[in-house]
Amino acid sequence: VESEIWPNRLAALATRDIPVAVVNGRMSADSAGRWARLPGTARRVFGSLALVLAQGPGDAARFADLCAPQVELVGNLKRAAAPLAADPAALDAMQRAVAGRRAWVAASTHPGEDEAMARAHGQAAAAHPDLLTVVAPRHPERAAEVAAVFAQRGLPAGRRSADGLPKPGHAVFIADTLGE
């Protein structure tokens, strides 16, 4: 899906006659240029694809130039999806819990980014003392690790899984549940 092209995996799949489709495919001009320097390899790799569903016209043209046999322009599938439904009662409860506070969200965070978020919170909280930082780790099981980084700076953190909603004393709220 999107931009990961693994030549060895594609070759193994081709050996087993397993068709491969690239869905929501992207191909930058730089990547296409690098592949074009190896035309034989590009022909083998991209020629093995059964179907490419490209995000944009440029992506479609680059895949076709690299010998993908069937390329269709379908647009960005992420943008084509309808917005996710929100439970009106849950949304109202969250809005009431955060009412009157400035908030910012660090979404889909990874290890190594927590300290930078804590520093950013400290800098922004100097101007906005009631600031709420909402952290949604890419892997919710990291919630305790994220909370520990903020706790080292004396910043109390609540967790969606334990506290439900941010409390007035929380500087940080960790969104450690899925599907919301």
Side-chain angles (χ1 to χ4, degrees), residues 33-45:
R34 284 190 294 275
W35 280 107
R37 287 190 291 241
L38 302 165
T41 301
R43 250 188 321 281
R44 279 191 304 280
V45 169

Side-chain angles (χ1 to χ4, degrees), residues 9-170:
R9 182 175 294 163
L10 292 175
L13 292 166
T15 300
R16 292 170 179 82
D17 292 322
I18 298 172
V20 176
V22 173
V23 178
N24 213 34
R26 295 177 304 167
M27 174 69 65
S28 72
D30 288 345
S31 290
R34 284 190 294 275
W35 280 107
R37 287 190 291 241
L38 302 165
T41 301
R43 250 188 321 281
R44 279 191 304 280
V45 169
F46 294 97
S48 72
L49 299 173
L51 174 65
V52 174
L53 301 176
Q55 285 188 17
D59 302 304
R62 289 185 280 274
F63 276 109
D65 289 346
L66 291 170
C67 300
Q70 184 178 351
V71 179
E72 295 180 24
L73 175 59
V74 297
N76 187 318
L77 298 178
K78 288 181 182 177
R79 293 189 190 120
L84 296 174
D87 174 357
L91 181 58
D92 183 60
M94 181 62 78
Q95 288 172 331
R96 280 186 279 112
V98 179
R101 296 180 75 177
R102 293 195 184 243
W104 71 282
V105 176
S108 196
T109 63
H110 293 272
E113 297 173 340
D114 308 322
E115 186 59 40
M117 290 182 295
R119 282 193 310 272
H121 176 92
Q123 291 171 355
H128 307 285
D130 203 24
L131 179 68
L132 177 65
T133 295
V134 178
V135 180
R138 177 75 174 107
H139 300 100
E141 63 272 12
R142 289 193 338 97
E145 173 187 330
V146 173
V149 169
F150 283 93
Q152 289 172 345
R153 291 179 168 263
L155 299 168
R159 291 171 60 171
R160 177 75 171 149
S161 62
D163 301 301
L165 294 168
K167 307 287 189 261
H170 292 152

